[in-house]
Amino acid sequence: MPEFTTLEHENLNKAVYGALCDALIQGRFQPGDRLKIRDLAEQFGISVTPIRDAILRLANDEAIIFRSPRDIRIPDLSEGRYREIRAIRIKLEGLAAETAAQVATSADIEVLERILCENEKAIEAGDRLKGAELNQAFHFMLPQIAGLPVLNGILRRLWLQMGPHISDAYLPGGRAMIDHHYPVVEALKRHDSGAASMAIVDDILLGGKPILERIERGAERKAL
Amino acid sequence: MPEFTTLEHENLNKAVYGALCDALIQGRFQPGDRLKIRDLAEQFGISVTPIRDAILRLANDEAIIFRSPRDIRIPDLSEGRYREIRAIRIKLEGLAAETAAQVATSADIEVLERILCENEKAIEAGDRLKGAELNQAFHFMLPQIAGLPVLNGILRRLWLQMGPHISDAYLPGGRAMIDHHYPVVEALKRHDSGAASMAIVDDILLGGKPILERIERGAERKAL
DNA sequence: ACAAGATATTTGATGCATCTTTTTTGAACT
DNA sequence: AGTTCAAAAAAGATGCATCAAATATCTTGT
């Protein structure tokens, strides 16, 4: 019985979608930025159809919004919405960590440890983008180890929605973005579901502080 | 600060998407059914572009799959995937019920009671589609009462993915689909978060039994 | 300088043609 | 009857023209 997955076959639509996702997550777009289908078509050197496909998909992901039928924007992230996303992540990533702790292999743990090692180097080098990318890779490994593709899809979308805030919060966050990864890995080694779940929840809460601070500062700027 | 929502403005694309969603949830498609963009364009009496838009969106929702670049199908739902969806729903709808219990107004509770009353009539009349629709309305009310739009979006997508199984499981499920709704409402009246969460979890587990039985029977048929 | 209204330009939605790839059908052979 | 191969048909992706609605700009008046 084949699993319920979207086939990853290559076409312009997917390539554009991937590029726009990367740009969102890397903070290359800012809240309020306007996207125009014809502009992007010109930048990518292709017709409007695959751009339009990718844009509609991102709107479905709630990573971009149609402020009106002709006005496509990068949305801001309200404090309320961020808190909701964080509460959802706590529940879902907690579930993923719990399940991953039950089934993780030595190979899985090696991958996680390699990610941590590279992330130490990124922090050392002040490489904000690399660090944010590795942080995401770590979080995305847990549902993969746990064998939870549906949850993986949900998490991917939540990451897109937080995108413009993540990489900017990374350096201010410093070690807060990585310190709790170690106890997660230790709990996986011991097959300790409870400890894994608690550690990832701590990571989400601690890692969320600089994001909340950034959102609050953004709200203050808007109120001026 | 505007909330992060997709604006609901009217166009053919959205109309088609809504119609296909309804068809999925009402079990008018069966797992394995093939969709063809040109066929649907002919049925809806419009060009392929808005059909294609809607199809790509449903693929993004993981409600339909591209088995290959030219073969669009309604996916089956494996037992493993259904169990995962159920585990995610337990976490998220538990969170929604818990939060809804804190903030529910008398008006909210009246809406839920009206849904229950109508569902009693649907069960009495053996109206499978009406009953499934009201069951969904009940579950979707909780994130709305709780003020959790992100969670609402996740739940909508999960419902689409279970779509072809839900309405068929409704009559076999009988009162199992509705009995636990009453304690949920009672807990909301008392603002009892713990009880609301436990009751919705019970509802999901009990209501999931006929769906699991259906999936197991489907797997048996495929093994023949 | 600001506001209101008119005009011009822009922008997304949709229809449709074309291309390439995939699927289906038919013929031949065993 | 079943298999294999070739040919025909079909199907999604993409390019692009057109339309209508929305946005931006300009002009006029206060």
Side-chain angles (χ1 to χ4, degrees):
Chain A
M1 166 64 66
E3 271 302 330
F4 189 161
T5 62
T6 305
L7 290 175
E8 287 302 325
H9 48 82
E10 280 309 307
N11 58 18
L12 288 175
N13 165 4
K14 289 186 182 313
V16 171
Y17 177 79
L20 293 177
C21 285
D22 288 347
L24 278 165
I25 287 176
Q26 289 161 12
R28 295 200 323 262
F29 287 116
Q30 291 301 311
D33 282 357
R34 186 175 180 187
L35 303 185
K36 299 179 179 180
I37 292 174
R38 287 189 172 102
D39 279 354
L40 290 167
E42 201 170 328
Q43 282 184 35
F44 281 88
I46 56 181
S47 88
V48 300
T49 308
I51 303 293
R52 189 162 175 281
D53 288 342
I55 291 288
L56 293 178
R57 188 176 173 185
L58 283 167
N60 192 33
D61 289 337
E62 298 185 79
I64 64 177
I65 59 167
F66 276 72
R67 191 189 281 177
S68 77
R70 299 242 182 315
D71 193 346
I72 306 170
R73 300 273 173 170
I74 305 297
D76 209 343
L77 185 58
S78 68
E79 184 179 332
R81 188 166 178 109
Y82 176 70
R83 286 185 185 281
E84 184 190 351
I85 290 176
R86 195 181 60 178
I88 292 170
R89 283 185 62 204
I90 284 173
K91 294 289 184 181
L92 295 187
E93 289 191 59
L95 172 62
E98 191 177 303
T99 310
Q102 293 163 12
V103 303
T105 67
S106 303
D108 293 329
I109 290 171
E110 269 182 47
V111 171
L112 290 172
E113 288 182 323
R114 197 180 312 126
I115 291 173
L116 283 178
C117 184
E118 286 183 51
N119 215 341
E120 289 291 354
K121 291 172 187 169
I123 290 179
E124 193 91 357
D127 192 337
R128 177 175 68 86
L129 288 183
K130 189 67 181 175
E133 180 189 322
L134 290 161
N135 179 58
Q136 174 186 338
F138 184 90
H139 284 271
F140 280 33
M141 273 299 298
L142 296 179
Q144 264 184 284
I145 293 171
L148 299 173
V150 180
L151 198 154
N152 208 38
I154 295 171
L155 187 59
R156 187 187 64 78
R157 234 175 232 113
L158 296 178
W159 224 265
L160 274 181
Q161 290 175 27
M162 301 186 295
H165 296 265
I166 290 180
S167 51
D168 277 7
Y170 200 79
L171 280 191
R175 295 206 61 83
M177 308 313 250
I178 191 176
D179 277 343
H180 279 279
H181 291 186
Y182 291 102
V184 173
V185 178
E186 292 306 314
L188 261 55
K189 283 177 182 172
R190 299 194 311 271
H191 294 295
D192 188 336
S193 295
S197 182
M198 285 174 60
I200 204 66
V201 167
D202 284 343
D203 182 55
I204 291 167
L205 289 171
L206 194 60
K209 282 183 191 305
I211 295 177
L212 269 172
E213 282 161 13
R214 184 179 192 279
I215 289 170
E216 280 156 13
R217 283 202 301 278
E220 280 168 7
R221 275 203 291 277
K222 274 189 170 51
L224 286 177
Chain B
M1 167 63 64
E3 272 301 333
F4 190 159
T5 62
T6 306
L7 290 174
E8 288 300 327
H9 48 81
E10 280 311 309
N11 58 19
L12 288 176
N13 165 4
K14 289 186 182 314
V16 171
Y17 177 78
L20 293 178
C21 285
D22 287 347
L24 277 165
I25 286 176
Q26 288 161 11
R28 290 191 337 254
F29 287 118
Q30 289 302 311
D33 282 358
R34 188 174 179 185
L35 303 185
K36 300 179 181 181
I37 290 174
R38 286 185 173 104
D39 281 356
L40 288 165
E42 202 169 327
Q43 282 183 37
F44 281 88
I46 58 181
S47 89
V48 301
T49 309
I51 304 293
R52 189 163 175 281
D53 289 341
I55 290 289
L56 293 178
R57 186 175 175 186
L58 284 167
N60 194 33
D61 290 336
E62 296 185 77
I64 65 179
I65 59 169
F66 276 73
R67 192 188 280 177
S68 77
R70 300 243 185 317
D71 193 345
I72 306 170
R73 301 276 174 168
I74 304 298
D76 210 343
L77 184 58
S78 70
E79 184 180 333
R81 190 167 177 107
Y82 176 71
R83 286 185 185 281
E84 185 191 350
I85 289 175
R86 195 181 61 176
I88 291 171
R89 283 186 61 205
I90 283 173
K91 294 290 181 179
L92 295 187
E93 290 190 59
L95 172 63
E98 191 179 303
T99 311
Q102 292 162 13
V103 302
T105 65
S106 303
D108 294 329
I109 291 172
E110 269 182 47
V111 171
L112 290 172
E113 289 181 322
R114 194 178 315 128
I115 291 173
L116 282 177
C117 185
E118 286 182 50
N119 213 342
E120 288 291 353
K121 292 173 184 168
I123 291 179
E124 193 92 358
D127 191 338
R128 177 175 70 86
L129 287 183
K130 189 65 176 175
E133 181 188 323
L134 289 161
N135 178 58
Q136 174 185 337
F138 184 91
H139 283 270
F140 281 34
M141 274 299 296
L142 295 179
Q144 265 186 284
I145 293 171
L148 299 174
V150 180
L151 197 155
N152 208 37
I154 295 171
L155 187 57
R156 185 186 64 79
R157 232 173 234 111
L158 296 178
W159 224 265
L160 276 181
Q161 292 175 25
M162 298 187 294
H165 294 268
I166 288 180
S167 52
D168 277 6
Y170 200 79
L171 282 190
R175 294 205 61 82
M177 306 314 247
I178 190 174
D179 277 343
H180 278 279
H181 291 185
Y182 290 100
V184 174
V185 178
E186 292 307 314
L188 260 56
K189 283 176 181 171
R190 301 195 311 272
H191 292 296
D192 188 336
S193 296
S197 181
M198 285 174 61
I200 203 65
V201 167
D202 284 342
D203 182 56
I204 292 168
L205 290 171
L206 195 58
K209 284 186 190 302
I211 296 177
L212 269 173
E213 282 160 13
R214 185 178 191 279
I215 288 170
E216 280 155 13
R217 281 202 301 279
E220 280 168 8
R221 273 203 292 278
K222 276 190 168 51
L224 287 179

